[in-house]
Amino acid sequence: MPTPVGFTLVQLRYFVTAAERGSMTAAADELRIAQSAVSSAVANLEHELRLQLFIRHRARGLTLTSAGERLLHQARDLLTRARDVEAEARGSGGTVTGPVAIGCFVTLGPYYLPRLFAACGEHYPDVELTVVEDEAEHLHQALRTGRIDFALTYGLGTPTDADLRRETIDLAPAHVIVPAGHRLAGREAVDLAELAPDPMVLLDLPHSRDYFREVVASSGTAPDVRYRSRSYETVRSLVAQGLGYSILNQRPRTAQTYGGGEVVALDLLGNRPPLEVTITVVGGVRQTARSRAVMALLRDVV
C-alpha cells in the first residue's frame, strides 16, 4: 500500500489562494470563510511538510519563500488534475465548461480575440472567457502568479527561463505606414533609407521600441523620433496627420484611422525576420481541459 499523504486538497487550495492574494485576509474574503480557517490550514500544511511557505509581514501581507514558490507551481498542477478527475468521475469529461483567463499583448487583441471569442461561443458556449490586456512583462508575471491560464503575445521579450514555454502560432512581418499623400505612397515596397529625411512616429512600448529602432538601424540610418505613443491607433492617427512615418507589425484591414485620416501600408525591402506571435504557458503545469480547448481554437482561428 502506498504511504498516504499528510495534507489535503483543501489545504493546498487555501495556500494557493493566500499566495495569489498576498494575505490571509484577502484569501479568506475570496474563499468566503473565516481568516482563522485559512491561517490554520496553511500552518498545518507547513507543519506537515516541515517547510516555511510564507514570510509573514505585519501590515504588509505575505511573501512566498523559495520553498513556497516551488510548492505553488506544484499545488496548482495538482489542483488542476484533481478538477479533471472530478469531471471525469461525474461523467462530464467531454463537456468543456468554466472560466479561462487569457493574457493578451495590447496590440494583438483586435486581431485575434474577436475571432477566438466567436469560435469559442460556437463550440464551447459554457466556457467563460476573461482577458487581461497588458505589456509582455506584466503578462509573464500574471502567468507565474496564476492570474491567467496562457498568454498571447509576441516572442519579442519573452524570457528564456525554464518556467515559461512558448509556441509560435503566427508570424507578423514589419511594414511601414506613411500618410496617404506621402511621396512614396504609390509604392508597394520601400527601403527604410528612403525615409531617412522623414520624422518617425514610434510605438513606445517596452521591447517594441527597441525592436523598431533596430529595424531602422539595420538600413544604415538613425531614426529621427519626433513623436511617440503607447497606443497603436494613436500612432496610426499621427502618421495620417502627416507627422511622419512609422513601423508596425499588425496590419488593419482598413486604411482609415480614428481621426478620419488615412495611412498607406508599404512592405519593407530587405530580408528582415518577422516577429513571432506566440502562446506562452508556465512549463510543467498541467493546463485544464477547457484551457487546452481554447488554445486549440486559437490555433485554428490563426
Side-chain angles (χ1 to χ4, degrees), residues 134-166:
D134 213 324
E135 300 165 7
E137 291 181 3
H138 294 161
L139 294 180
H140 298 151
Q141 183 61 26
L143 276 172
R144 293 187 175 101
T145 58
R147 287 180 55 220
I148 57 178
D149 294 293
F150 65 89
L152 174 65
T153 185
Y154 287 118
L156 189 70
T158 301
T160 56
D161 304 0
D163 66 329
L164 295 183
R165 179 170 53 83
R166 72 184 188 189

Side-chain angles (χ1 to χ4, degrees), residues 28-233:
D29 290 342
E30 180 170 321
L31 295 165
R32 299 183 180 180
I33 59 175
Q35 179 183 336
S36 59
V38 179
S39 300
S40 177
V42 172
N44 290 336
L45 181 62
E46 289 179 316
H47 175 75
E48 182 62 37
L49 297 177
R50 299 179 184 178
L51 294 171
Q52 182 178 353
L53 302 175
F54 290 113
I55 300 173
R56 280 87 167 162
H57 305 283
R58 186 179 299 275
R60 287 196 299 115
L62 305 169
T63 301
L64 283 167
T65 62
S66 58
E69 290 276 6
R70 291 192 297 272
L71 180 63
L72 180 60
H73 292 295
Q74 295 167 336
R76 285 183 180 135
D77 189 28
L78 184 56
L79 290 170
T80 296
R81 291 171 182 268
R83 284 189 288 268
D84 286 348
V85 169
E86 180 184 36
E88 291 288 349
R90 290 182 175 180
S92 59
T95 303
V96 180
T97 64
V100 175
I102 305 169
C104 186
F105 189 70
V106 287
T107 63
L108 291 178
Y111 297 91
Y112 297 98
L113 294 185
R115 286 179 286 161
L116 175 62
F117 276 51
C120 196
E122 178 182 353
H123 295 281
Y124 306 119
D126 294 324
V127 167
E128 305 160 20
L129 295 180
T130 59
V131 177
V132 175
E133 293 185 86
D134 213 324
E135 300 165 7
E137 291 181 3
H138 294 161
L139 294 180
H140 298 151
Q141 183 61 26
L143 276 172
R144 293 187 175 101
T145 58
R147 287 180 55 220
I148 57 178
D149 294 293
F150 65 89
L152 174 65
T153 185
Y154 287 118
L156 189 70
T158 301
T160 56
D161 304 0
D163 66 329
L164 295 183
R165 179 170 53 83
R166 72 184 188 189
E167 169 195 352
T168 300
I169 61 169
D170 203 2
L171 297 175
H175 65 278
V176 167
I177 59 171
V178 296
H182 193 272
R183 66 183 186 280
L184 300 176
R187 301 264 295 274
E188 290 186 1
V190 64
D191 190 310
L192 276 173
E194 298 177 83
L195 288 164
D198 296 39
M200 181 181 182
V201 182
L202 180 67
L203 180 60
D204 195 18
L205 292 169
H207 302 296
S208 296
R209 65 175 74 99
D210 298 327
Y211 165 77
F212 294 129
R213 287 180 181 275
E214 288 171 5
V215 170
V216 177
S218 69
S219 68
T221 62
D224 177 16
V225 177
R226 300 276 186 87
Y227 306 95
R228 61 185 70 217
S229 173
R230 296 168 66 87
S231 164
Y232 182 91
E233 185 56 33

Side-chain angles (χ1 to χ4, degrees), residues 245-259:
Y245 75 94
S246 189
I247 303 172
L248 299 171
N249 291 87
Q250 298 297 325
R251 290 199 188 201
R253 295 187 178 219
T254 176
Q256 193 166 41
T257 66
Y258 284 0

